Amino acid sequence: QVQLVESGGGLVQAGGFLRLSCAASGRTFTSYAMAWFRQAPGKEREFVAAITGGRPYSAYADSVKGRFTISRDNAKNTVYLEMPRLKPEDTAVYYCAAKYTAVLSGLPRNYDYWGQGTQVTVSS
């Protein structure tokens, strides 16, 4: 079992910056691919970014590529999402997810563990 706890969400003006963190329990953190998804009101959950375990490779949704950065600190069992230049359309609940694999995926159904989510609100 893996437990995920997100933090770092909040209210920020457009153009601002937030850094989300996701702390994971367990002793085999490097065996898990980690991802961030988001869900806005009335919309489906969508992929934001993902990162592999030991030797980190990352992937991003087109909507955030070149703007957001996913990273992980395996010594701290934590994955991060740095979000500069935020836009109102980034407003959503952001979820951390994990799956026991070395293969990245942008599909929510492929992830086994989920955090409770953290709200990000970007005002215009």
Side-chain angles (χ1 to χ4, degrees):
Q1 277 282 17
V2 175
Q3 292 185 324
L4 305 174
V5 179
E6 302 101 331
S7 61
L11 172 64
V12 65
Q13 289 187 332
F17 172 86
L18 284 175
R19 185 193 196 207
L20 305 183
S21 299
C22 173
S25 64
R27 295 175 291 177
T28 58
F29 183 64
T30 55
S31 298
Y32 288 82
M34 303 295 296
W36 288 97
F37 289 81
R38 66 187 182 186
Q39 188 165 18
K43 295 188 176 181
E44 293 187 353
R45 191 166 297 190
E46 66 171 359
F47 170 72
V48 176
I51 189 168
T52 53
R55 176 176 288 185
Y57 294 97
S58 57
Y60 296 90
D62 288 342
S63 58
V64 305
K65 192 177 298 181
R67 192 161 55 99
F68 290 5
T69 301
I70 189 171
S71 62
R72 63 192 294 162
D73 184 336
N74 291 332
K76 295 182 178 180
N77 280 19
T78 302
V79 63
Y80 304 98
L81 184 68
E82 294 187 334
M83 305 186 297
R85 304 188 303 279
L86 282 161
K87 305 174 183 180
E89 51 263 44
D90 294 318
T91 294
V93 177
Y94 282 70
Y95 296 91
C96 176
K99 68 187 186 93
Y100 189 78
T101 182
V103 179
L104 295 180
S105 172
L107 299 175
R109 67 172 182 264
N110 288 341
Y111 287 82
D112 304 310
Y113 304 100
W114 292 85
Q116 81 287 352
T118 185
Q119 177 70 47
V120 171
T121 303
V122 184
S123 63
S124 57

